[in-house]
Amino acid sequence: TTDVKTQRKIIQSLFVASPYTPPYCPVLFQLCCEISRFQLDFFENDVVNTDDGDDNNSKFDNDSGVQESSQRKKRQIICKKCHAQTHQRCKLLVEQMSKDGCIYLLQNWLLSLSICD
């Protein structure tokens, strides 16, 4: 298990610009870990939709006359599965969060919206 001080540091690392102190909420900590894992999987493994067209594993689709990349298709499939699995796990975690955890998450979400506008 991770001590409360370490949990708060990890939570704050995801909410860098947050002026709020994270509450003690183990489920919020689990949610932040899930988000971090997703970010690492998504960005570090290059599971993104790219349009570089430089794939050596491409083939020609005779039906549509469009050149398609088999690597790109594989990445898109992995990406969709990863999104779906992560979304499901995050939904379950949010349903288990304490009131203080939900307030903290909502405060930061609203803060991020106001910063983006």
Side-chain angles (χ1 to χ4, degrees):
T1 60
T2 310
D3 63 68
V4 175
K5 190 175 180 179
T6 304
Q7 286 183 11
R8 285 194 172 142
K9 283 182 182 180
I10 291 170
I11 291 169
Q12 285 175 324
S13 72
L14 283 175
F15 298 100
V16 176
S18 177
Y20 310 111
T21 302
Y24 173 71
C25 178
V27 178
L28 177 62
F29 171 68
Q30 290 174 340
L31 179 65
C32 289
C33 290
E34 186 66 40
I35 292 167
S36 292
R37 260 192 306 276
F38 173 74
Q39 289 173 337
L40 288 173
D41 288 347
F42 188 78
F43 294 111
E44 287 186 6
N45 293 324
D46 194 29
V47 183
V48 293
N49 298 335
T50 59
D51 291 323
D52 54 17
D54 293 334
D55 237 337
N56 293 331
N57 296 330
S58 60
K59 62 181 179 181
F60 191 79
D61 183 354
N62 291 328
D63 293 334
S64 64
V66 176
Q67 187 174 359
E68 297 178 340
S69 164
S70 61
Q71 278 297 98
R72 188 173 303 125
K73 280 186 169 185
K74 288 177 187 175
R75 285 195 298 256
Q76 288 172 344
I77 290 168
I78 291 169
C79 184
K80 287 178 184 179
K81 287 180 183 177
C82 184
H83 277 135
Q85 291 169 353
T86 301
H87 182 252
Q88 186 62 30
R89 286 191 298 266
C90 288
K91 279 180 21 182
L92 292 172
L93 288 170
V94 169
E95 289 173 0
Q96 299 171 17
M97 243 191 313
S98 69
K99 178 182 172 185
D100 289 337
C102 288
I103 290 170
Y104 180 79
L105 193 61
L106 183 58
Q107 285 173 326
N108 284 285
W109 178 67
L110 292 171
L111 179 63
S112 73
L113 288 177
S114 66
I115 290 171
C116 292
D117 286 344

